[in-house]
Amino acid sequence: MHILLIEPDALQARAYAAALEQAGHTVARAAGAQSAVHAADEQAPDAAVLELQLSGHNGVEFLYEFRSYPEWLHVPVILHTFVPPDELAFAATLKSELGVRRILYKSATKLADLCAAVLELAPAKGVR
Amino acid sequence: MQRVGDGGSLNAQEQLFLSVAEQLSRPLLALSRLGELAAGDPALAAEQWPVVHTLAESSLQLVESYALGLRVQGKVMPLALEPVTVSSLLYDTAEQLKPLARQYGVELEIDTGPRTLPVLADRAVLQAAFESLGQVFVAAQAEAETPGSVRLMAHRSRYGVVAGLYGDTARLGADSLRRAHLVRGRARQPFQQFVSGPAAGVFVADNLLRTLEAHLHVARYHHLNGLAATLRPSHQLQLI
């Protein structure tokens, strides 16, 4: 799969991208919402891994923008975030309205868990 | 991004502690994940060693600065006021920040202008404040859509010596620091337009500067925006 990794911290992004590549995926990296839209436009990702806390426009704003384009309406998104689950009051909205498939709390998610969550998206890719 | 439940029962010191704890979880997470990645791959482990070292050093710096602020505020440690040459202090600060900036691909520049007056300060406190602030600026520049450099600058003003960190960014508006203070501990990103994280270094720096009877303010110098403090000149050495 081709993964769009939206992660503001370059050092963390390096680790996540390397793990996903070791798992056989290709990865396009973006540090913010604007560059993520550009990357999606150029590279047609099969799935996205997104941190909610971005500088400038945040992850939720990015998702609304992302879902406003028909070609990205069904691209599965995994939230991989520093926001603890008990502070995500809008988790249901993220899943029902913005097509977030999984919400992973970064501090509790090993690289192997992230790769497994991405792998779970693969069968769903053809069922659009 | 507001916290659920507002977090309104925290006092200022608890809010600062929460910010520092959440800030520290970032490099610690990066260290943990890099460790996972490097396990069983000696070549990769060796390649990542400078990153690990830099992240550990910058985390240590933030903790030490936070603790220094507490010690000085609580009068456990007295201030050692002395004439401090700002240009030399900013050079030392840049040296300390250089490894972190290198890892994030951010350039550091120093501009202290001609004949900047010495200021009356505790050198260790002042340097800890600028290093903490510098970490936030490096992260912010690394996250920018068009990354620029971080400039450590000092210049004279009618009120004293204005020293701080600046970047080619419009994301530090006139009231952004005031708003950040209001929502610190209650919002996960008090400086959301500037940096994605808790920006704890800004508040640690401000606490340290307040022990020197200064404080951070949003500053503008030519086309650059930044956070700076106005420091009292040392009259003792003005003739040098």
Side-chain angles (χ1 to χ4, degrees):
Chain A
M1 294 174 80
H2 186 50
I3 312 295
L4 174 58
L5 175 65
I6 305 150
E7 168 55 60
D9 186 295
L11 300 182
Q12 286 182 50
R14 201 184 294 174
Y16 302 137
L20 290 167
E21 283 164 358
Q22 281 179 5
H25 306 290
T26 54
V27 179
R29 282 160 51 173
Q34 193 181 330
S35 55
V37 171
H38 288 309
D41 203 21
E42 287 171 3
Q43 308 203 23
D46 299 309
V49 175
L50 169 70
E51 166 58 87
L52 277 181
Q53 296 181 71
L54 307 172
S55 59
H57 297 289
N58 66 34
V60 177
E61 290 173 298
F62 164 77
L63 274 174
Y64 275 107
E65 172 78 10
F66 193 59
R67 294 305 190 207
S68 70
Y69 295 89
E71 63 268 39
W72 300 332
L73 200 54
H74 301 289
V75 173
V77 172
I78 293 176
L79 283 192
H80 183 229
T81 179
F82 265 114
V83 182
D86 55 356
E87 289 190 22
L88 274 176
F90 48 96
T93 307
L94 289 169
K95 287 184 173 172
S96 63
E97 291 183 20
L98 293 169
V100 170
R101 296 288 183 85
R102 290 282 302 272
I103 299 176
L104 302 174
Y105 179 40
K106 265 185 186 167
S107 300
T109 306
K110 305 277 186 201
L111 293 177
D113 300 331
L114 175 65
C115 292
V118 168
L119 196 61
E120 280 175 19
L121 300 175
K125 187 185 159 197
V127 190
R128 288 186 177 178
Chain B
M1 191 170 295
Q2 300 294 117
R3 287 174 182 278
V4 174
D6 196 41
S9 62
L10 300 178
N11 65 35
Q13 199 52 252
E14 288 167 338
Q15 286 172 9
L16 181 58
F17 182 76
L18 181 62
S19 293
V20 170
E22 291 185 345
Q23 186 75 56
L24 285 173
S25 70
R26 290 159 190 265
L28 287 174
L29 179 72
L31 288 173
S32 176
R33 298 300 167 257
L34 288 171
E36 266 183 80
L37 203 59
D41 187 342
L44 185 63
E47 185 188 307
Q48 296 300 331
W49 188 246
V51 181
V52 170
H53 182 238
T54 301
L55 287 175
E57 283 291 326
S58 60
S59 308
L60 194 58
Q61 192 282 325
L62 185 64
V63 172
E64 287 291 338
S65 296
Y66 174 66
L68 180 63
L70 285 181
R71 284 198 290 269
V72 174
Q73 276 179 329
K75 301 194 187 323
V76 177
M77 192 191 102
L79 283 173
L81 295 177
E82 60 177 338
V84 174
T85 310
V86 177
S87 54
S88 115
L89 182 122
L90 292 183
Y91 273 105
D92 289 348
T93 303
E95 280 301 311
Q96 293 299 316
L97 290 171
K98 205 184 277 180
L100 186 71
R102 191 182 301 126
Q103 291 299 340
Y104 279 102
V106 172
E107 278 187 36
L108 297 175
E109 296 171 14
I110 299 176
D111 178 0
T112 55
R115 290 198 297 269
T116 307
L117 295 174
V119 298
L120 190 64
D122 181 311
R123 188 181 176 93
V125 169
L126 199 52
Q127 184 160 339
F130 287 130
E131 284 181 25
S132 302
L133 190 59
Q135 288 193 16
V136 180
F137 269 75
V138 168
Q141 287 298 331
E143 290 175 10
E145 299 284 355
T146 50
S149 58
V150 172
R151 195 174 291 191
L152 295 87
M153 290 204 310
H155 66 274
R156 292 170 72 162
S157 81
R158 75 175 82 166
Y159 305 107
V161 175
V162 180
L165 283 91
Y166 296 74
D168 186 9
T169 172
R171 293 174 294 159
L172 276 174
D175 64 343
S176 54
L177 184 63
R178 184 185 57 80
R179 274 189 288 114
H181 274 295
L182 283 176
V183 300
R184 171 165 59 90
R186 298 184 171 87
R188 294 199 146 266
Q189 297 172 267
F191 265 113
Q192 200 216 324
Q193 292 306 314
F194 186 52
V195 69
S196 67
V202 171
F203 307 110
V204 168
D206 192 50
N207 259 24
L208 286 164
L209 289 164
R210 283 176 193 275
T211 67
L212 300 172
E213 295 177 16
H215 64 274
L216 280 179
H217 53 83
V218 174
R220 191 167 162 77
Y221 192 69
H222 297 299
H223 65 288
L224 301 170
N225 290 303
L227 293 173
T230 304
L231 303 164
R232 280 179 298 165
S234 165
H235 298 295
Q236 192 180 340
L237 292 181
Q238 279 195 14
L239 296 176
I240 292 178

